[in-house]
Amino acid sequence: HIVPSSFLADPVVVALGRIIVVGGTSQRIFEEMIMAGGRIRNGRFARMGVQELETFWGNAMRQPPMPRREELEERLRDNLWPRTAPALYQALQARCDERLKTLASRMERRANEEVARFEAIMDELAAAIRAQLEVMQTPRQLSLFDDEEREAFQADVAVLKERLRRIPGEKAEESRHLRARYEDPRQTLFPLAVLWFVPASLARAGM
């Protein structure tokens, strides 16, 4: 991208990447686009801070488009890119590591929220079964059936009691599984694109 010299004095290079985070069960638990970049001064890469880069990106995207120059792209690719690429990738990897650290508390909070929702559902199910059993086991309720119906009715009661008995174990097992999803998060970084922003004056001068 060639941008007005009034907007930019030194070239800026920005790398875009996607991070995918998996937890202890190897399931994807988070995905996000990230970017890292810096200014090129005297042929050296100087990383920009997160807030500085975000501000620059927003302003750069609002600059009026200017014609591309193939010869400039070739010079960037053949001359500047080999010297810049290692530092740029290192900056992108550093940003990836920073994001994983800030995500740790979010992952713990998400695990707690999922466990709480699941346990609430199971508690509601147990309460509903207990209430149903209380109604079904009243003497008046039993007196309404003949022997055959009473036998089927008692079988239904036995099923409900068994379901109620299994709830605590299912609740504990699924809660452990939900927490395991968010344990030991590991990220993978996928570089996506590199964008150059070059002041028009340097573009005309061939950098």
Side-chain angles (χ1 to χ4, degrees):
H1 296 266
I2 300 176
V3 296
S5 300
S6 58
F7 169 71
L8 190 64
D10 300 304
V12 169
V13 59
V14 178
L16 303 179
R18 180 174 295 279
I19 55 174
I20 294 177
V21 181
V22 298
T25 58
S26 298
Q27 292 178 293
R28 182 181 304 186
I29 56 176
F30 186 78
E31 184 174 347
E32 182 180 74
M33 185 88 72
I34 62 171
M35 63 180 174
R39 302 179 186 276
I40 309 300
R41 290 174 175 163
N42 300 321
R44 298 175 63 87
F45 175 84
R47 184 185 176 190
M48 300 168 70
V50 174
Q51 188 60 52
E52 180 187 10
L53 180 58
E54 290 180 353
T55 300
F56 167 81
W57 180 268
N59 292 334
M61 292 297 101
R62 290 192 290 270
Q63 296 303 308
M66 302 182 72
R68 295 174 57 183
R69 298 187 179 187
E70 292 186 7
E71 67 276 9
L72 176 61
E73 294 180 8
E74 292 175 0
R75 286 195 296 272
L76 290 172
R77 183 182 64 245
D78 298 338
N79 300 329
L80 200 53
W81 174 243
R83 290 180 286 150
T84 306
L88 180 61
Y89 181 78
Q90 185 178 15
L92 190 64
Q93 183 63 60
R95 180 59 184 148
C96 179
D97 295 340
E98 291 166 1
R99 283 299 291 142
L100 185 61
K101 290 179 182 178
T102 60
L103 286 171
S105 59
R106 183 189 299 185
M107 294 299 101
E108 181 179 1
R109 184 168 62 253
R110 185 180 295 180
N112 290 336
E113 290 172 352
E114 289 195 15
V115 168
R117 282 195 297 269
F118 171 74
E119 290 184 345
I121 291 172
M122 297 303 286
D123 290 343
E124 290 177 5
L125 175 61
I129 292 175
R130 291 192 188 96
Q132 182 64 24
L133 286 171
E134 186 176 348
V135 172
M136 294 174 70
Q137 292 179 297
T138 59
R140 182 176 181 278
Q141 185 76 9
L142 293 173
S143 66
L144 299 176
F145 304 122
D146 59 27
D147 291 342
E148 184 176 348
E149 290 173 333
R150 185 176 295 108
E151 183 177 345
F153 179 81
Q154 290 174 341
D156 292 340
V157 169
V159 169
L160 287 175
K161 286 183 176 181
E162 175 61 20
R163 182 70 187 94
L164 184 62
R165 185 190 67 79
R166 294 200 311 268
I167 284 178
E170 293 176 359
K171 181 178 171 181
E173 181 179 357
E174 182 62 18
S175 294
R176 285 194 298 269
H177 177 75
L178 289 172
R179 292 192 185 281
R181 287 185 58 196
Y182 295 94
E183 291 177 351
D184 302 320
R186 306 178 305 279
Q187 83 275 24
T188 302
L189 172 63
F190 297 93
L192 299 177
V194 173
L195 293 89
W196 291 88
F197 297 88
V198 180
S201 59
L202 292 181
R204 288 193 297 267
M207 293 191 65

